[in-house]
Amino acid sequence: MTCRVPGAPAAALPDAAIALQQDIRRELGLQRTRLSPRQTRRAMELGMDMLDRTGNWPADTEVILVVDRAPAVQLMWFVLSDPTRHDLTPLGMVAVSTGRPGRKEHFRTPVGIFRNDGQIYGYRALGTKNEYGIRGNGDKGMRVWDFGWQTTEDWRRRDALAVVRLEMHATDPAFLESRLGQADSEGCIRIPARVNSFIDHHGLLDRQLDLMVRNDAPNARAVRALLGAEHTPGPLQGDRIVVVDSSDPQAIASDPEKARRIQESFAQYLASSATPGAASPTGVAASPRPVASPSMVASVPPPAVASRPADHVSTALAPPSAPDASAPSQPATPQPADRTFAPSVPASYPEAPVPSQTTVPQPDPSDPSQSADRASTPSVPQSTAGTPALPQPAEPPAPSRSADRASTPSVPASAAAAPDSPPPAPQPIITIRPLPPSPSDMAAQAPPSQPFTPPEQDQP
């Protein structure tokens, strides 16, 4: 295997590659794309070795992106791949930032070959700021390429894997772009705004999306809207990015299939441990917002060959305990959504007992301990006007008081009227209508037309 770097003899580049190289220098600047021979040679060797071992060379000559996540490198190359000769030719180089482990929800960027195969379209940044005033995905309109769930090393547990969501996007132009060139992200690949616009404009990662548009696929209209009117792909557009690590050539590659299985197991664990019929504080059943799930850790030795990830904390969740029928259960408290990922989970998920649904008796208004419940559950009068209250039969103790009473109040059964007294008036049926969701909740509950991933809200 050989790779061409400045000063090494090489065959003439095709005209399309020469034109693209000129565009790189003109649009990105010569100083920002100058090649470093030693680092370039090492990155090309590792990239070709990974493509050879996985057999994942492109079918045709096209441009691929190569990223070296080594802390002392933090560079990305525009590379012309030649599958017939198994050769990589660098055309330009820019500084980037990859994951920096050691902080909460920060993990190393996964190593491997990641394709933009059209299964996940990605999205464009909204330019919104987080609580620190940072635009995590850059200015409005910047492209975000989403490569799905991947696996990476968990720095908090030895020989464990973390599942992370791998994306490539711009960053805050005022506060964070000047820090590119050092490991600084939660696990995604941060690139300069100029580079983001250049890759977007030339479609260097949109080969499969453009095929969907040309073939008039079922979702071609949505893909065309994502690409935009200024999208002018060239003949060398590609669909993959290769992440290597020159400081750790034996790093385990990401395993997207293992990441998918861990995700499914975590979803099943949450479903089995959730209380049936639990209602949100507003009376509307809580629905998951379209946010990226928190990190999940599998406490298992990594396989010989692995694939993709996302940044996650290695904090295992304790298995749910059996409900106590003698003590009332507290209403479910909504947990704040994680800024970027989902909670860590153990490798195995215990079966959670599902409590049976029972009718909850109406709380007594005279009992001060139940005063909080009366705010959300109106009580039904025990007697009507003009009719003396009849003694109520003893009721069995309630197994638990759950959030179900917010939407389904219990009506006490009336006792049989005495023969010489008029029958009691029928008890009114009370229907509690849930509060309408807020506009933000309605937007969050609307089914997206494509897989949705939220912006990365990075800290400064």
Side-chain angles (χ1 to χ4, degrees):
M1 294 184 300
T2 59
C3 61
R4 297 194 286 270
V5 295
L13 292 174
D15 294 340
I18 295 176
L20 180 61
Q21 192 173 40
Q22 293 175 351
D23 291 340
I24 292 174
R25 293 174 179 174
R26 181 179 64 256
E27 296 182 31
L28 303 182
L30 181 61
Q31 296 297 325
R32 304 184 66 174
T33 59
R34 181 174 298 174
L35 297 174
S36 172
R38 181 179 61 84
Q39 294 174 334
T40 300
R41 183 180 297 105
R42 182 57 174 160
M44 297 303 106
E45 290 175 353
L46 293 174
M48 289 186 292
D49 181 65
M50 184 176 295
L51 291 168
D52 286 336
R53 285 189 289 106
T54 59
N56 204 358
W57 281 90
D60 303 315
T61 299
E62 64 182 48
V63 171
I64 65 175
L65 304 179
V66 177
V67 175
D68 189 349
R69 74 169 191 181
V73 181
Q74 298 291 298
L75 294 171
M76 181 176 73
W77 289 263
F78 301 93
V79 179
L80 179 67
S81 64
D82 187 349
T84 58
R85 301 175 54 194
H86 284 209
D87 187 29
L88 298 179
T89 303
L91 304 177
M93 179 186 72
V94 294
V96 298
S97 286
T98 62
R100 181 180 71 177
R103 298 172 59 189
K104 181 180 180 181
E105 293 299 339
H106 283 65
F107 288 79
R108 301 201 73 178
T109 299
V111 167
I113 301 173
F114 311 106
R115 296 188 60 190
N116 187 26
D117 55 5
Q119 299 299 318
I120 305 176
Y121 303 157
Y123 56 98
R124 291 191 179 272
L126 299 178
T128 55
K129 298 180 180 180
N130 63 7
E131 62 271 26
Y132 302 101
I134 299 297
R135 296 181 176 91
N137 289 333
D139 289 331
K140 183 177 181 179
M142 293 286 100
R143 279 287 297 275
V144 178
W145 290 271
D146 189 344
F147 300 98
W149 293 104
Q150 305 295 333
T151 59
T152 188
E153 308 96 321
D154 178 17
W155 59 273
R156 304 185 72 173
R157 288 188 181 181
R158 186 174 183 178
D159 296 332
L161 297 177
V163 176
V164 298
R165 191 80 177 194
L166 178 61
E167 294 178 347
M168 185 176 75
H169 54 77
T171 188
D172 190 282
F175 299 101
L176 298 181
E177 188 163 317
S178 59
R179 296 165 57 169
L180 294 177
Q182 57 182 325
D184 203 28
S185 77
E186 294 181 346
C188 296
I189 302 172
R190 297 180 185 173
I191 58 178
R194 280 190 182 183
V195 176
N196 186 292
S197 300
F198 181 84
I199 298 174
D200 180 24
H201 175 70
H202 293 274
L204 298 184
L205 288 174
D206 298 327
R207 183 185 185 93
Q208 300 302 323
L209 297 182
D210 280 307
L211 286 176
M212 296 172 64
V213 172
R214 289 196 294 267
N215 297 335
D216 197 20
N219 295 326
R221 183 176 180 180
V223 174
R224 190 181 296 110
L226 172 68
L227 297 179
E230 298 182 358
H231 183 74
T232 55
L236 297 178
Q237 65 175 160
D239 60 0
R240 67 198 67 196
I241 181 170
V242 181
V243 180
V244 300
D245 190 343
S246 58
S247 64
D248 184 12
Q250 304 302 322
I252 302 298
S254 173
D255 186 351
E257 182 61 24
K258 179 181 286 293
R260 182 189 64 81
R261 292 196 301 267
I262 296 176
Q263 276 285 90
E264 292 178 353
S265 299
F266 180 66
Q268 295 173 2
Y269 171 75
L270 291 181
S272 63
S273 59
T275 302
S280 63
T282 60
V284 181
S287 59
R289 294 179 178 272
V291 298
S293 302
S295 61
M296 296 174 295
V297 175
S299 302
V300 295
V305 177
S307 193
R308 287 200 216 186
D311 301 277
H312 305 93
V313 180
S314 62
T315 304
L317 297 178
S321 58
D324 186 1
S326 62
S329 60
Q330 297 296 330
T333 302
Q335 299 296 328
D338 190 33
R339 294 178 301 101
T340 310
F341 302 105
S344 307
V345 298
S348 61
Y349 308 95
E351 291 292 336
V354 180
S356 59
Q357 293 185 349
T358 57
T359 302
V360 180
Q362 181 65 30
D364 187 2
S366 62
D367 188 355
S369 63
Q370 301 177 2
S371 58
D373 296 338
R374 293 199 297 270
S376 58
T377 307
S379 58
V380 180
Q382 300 295 331
S383 61
T384 56
T387 302
L390 299 177
Q392 301 296 327
E395 298 185 51
S400 63
R401 293 190 179 273
S402 63
D404 292 340
R405 61 174 178 271
S407 58
T408 310
S410 303
V411 180
S414 60
D420 55 349
S421 61
Q427 298 293 334
I429 299 177
I430 299 178
T431 302
I432 300 177
R433 300 182 61 185
L435 297 178
S438 62
S440 60
D441 291 335
M442 296 174 64
Q445 296 174 10
S449 59
Q450 56 169 320
F452 177 85
T453 52
E456 181 187 33
Q457 300 296 329
D458 291 315
Q459 301 182 7

